[in-house]
Amino acid sequence: MAMITNPDDFFAKGCGRCARFATADCSTRQWIDGLNALRRICLDLGLEETVKWAHPCYMHAGRNIAMFGAFRGDFRLSFMNPGLLVDSEGVLEPQGPNSRTPSMIRFTASGQVGEKQSVIRAYLRQLIDHAEAGTKPAKIDREIDMPDELIAALDGDPELAEAFHALTPGRQKSYVFALNQAKQPATRLGRIEKFRDKIIAGKGALER
């Protein structure tokens, strides 16, 4: 099944990653009012809408600002470069075991977007300002120096994350090495999509 490349498809059908795509059982259907509310906020702030990792991603000044995800039990607004955010309202949570910095707001009801609209706008504005200024978060030392694109992909894809952490350390390092050889973020993103099926199958980057 092909993942989506048009953001409109996410709001109409889903991400295209599973058999529930374009069915009433897709997670996006349950949360569509909240997802549309998040979309309106991002577009109202002038963010550029695109698709990355089969999810809507919002950009400014050439930098990823935020993206959405829909799951069975919740939907999420994930902030990119969260180390730059001042979480003055204490609403941010870590995405999962790969994240050392809280980076998302989790919603369990569509109406919560309206309730948190002011803080959502304020946090997006913080990242917009940082994008325009070119500021970057401090580098975090990791046991395995995973590229940010892989961390975001794992945090946004529970199936992929489970499979990746089930790999032997050597297989994990094979993917990290292959991704770190790419200098451009777009190249790393392409490699992650290419590697997904192999990771799910429990194989290393060089295995057939």
Side-chain angles (χ1 to χ4, degrees):
M1 180 174 295
M3 295 187 291
I4 63 162
T5 57
N6 186 328
D8 289 335
D9 287 338
F10 179 85
F11 297 96
K13 305 174 186 179
C15 67
R17 280 178 157 168
C18 73
R20 293 185 288 121
F21 179 62
T23 71
D25 197 36
C26 177
S27 295
T28 58
R29 300 305 88 203
Q30 178 181 358
W31 311 112
I32 191 59
D33 290 341
L35 292 167
N36 278 326
L38 288 174
R39 187 187 200 187
R40 286 192 294 270
I41 291 171
C42 289
L43 295 179
D44 184 56
L45 287 170
L47 295 175
E48 174 190 353
E49 185 178 64
T50 185
V51 169
K52 295 190 178 183
W53 305 294
H55 288 80
C57 181
Y58 296 85
M59 302 181 65
H60 184 74
R63 182 182 291 185
N64 296 334
I65 300 297
M67 61 189 304
F68 305 161
F71 302 91
R72 290 287 198 177
D74 61 69
F75 65 105
R76 306 169 185 183
L77 170 63
S78 298
F79 298 98
M80 313 305 283
N81 292 306
L84 295 173
L85 281 174
V86 177
D87 184 16
S88 57
E89 302 300 316
V91 297
L92 296 182
E93 302 177 35
Q95 290 273 7
N98 306 295
S99 300
R100 296 189 179 185
T101 303
S103 62
M104 71 165 180
I105 300 178
R106 186 196 308 269
F107 305 94
T108 55
S110 289
Q112 292 173 349
V113 176
E115 295 170 2
K116 292 184 169 70
Q117 180 170 180
S118 60
V119 68
I120 292 169
R121 286 178 175 272
Y123 285 20
L124 289 171
R125 174 53 63 186
Q126 284 188 49
L127 292 177
I128 289 171
D129 291 344
H130 282 300
E132 291 177 350
T135 51
K136 296 181 179 181
K139 186 72 174 179
I140 298 175
D141 291 330
R142 303 184 181 100
E143 193 170 322
I144 298 179
D145 189 21
M146 294 198 298
D148 291 339
E149 292 81 5
L150 178 58
I151 292 173
L154 295 178
D155 286 340
D157 187 340
E159 182 184 10
L160 182 63
E162 182 178 359
F164 185 83
H165 288 297
L167 295 174
T168 63
R171 288 191 172 103
Q172 291 180 6
K173 290 179 181 179
S174 73
Y175 288 107
V176 171
F177 178 79
L179 294 173
N180 282 335
Q181 294 303 298
K183 296 182 179 180
Q184 298 299 322
T187 305
R188 291 192 289 272
L189 290 173
R191 289 185 182 181
I192 290 169
E193 292 184 8
K194 179 182 177 182
F195 288 148
R196 188 177 189 277
D197 288 344
K198 294 179 72 172
I199 294 173
I200 296 296
K203 298 180 180 180
L206 301 179
E207 294 180 82
R208 294 184 177 181

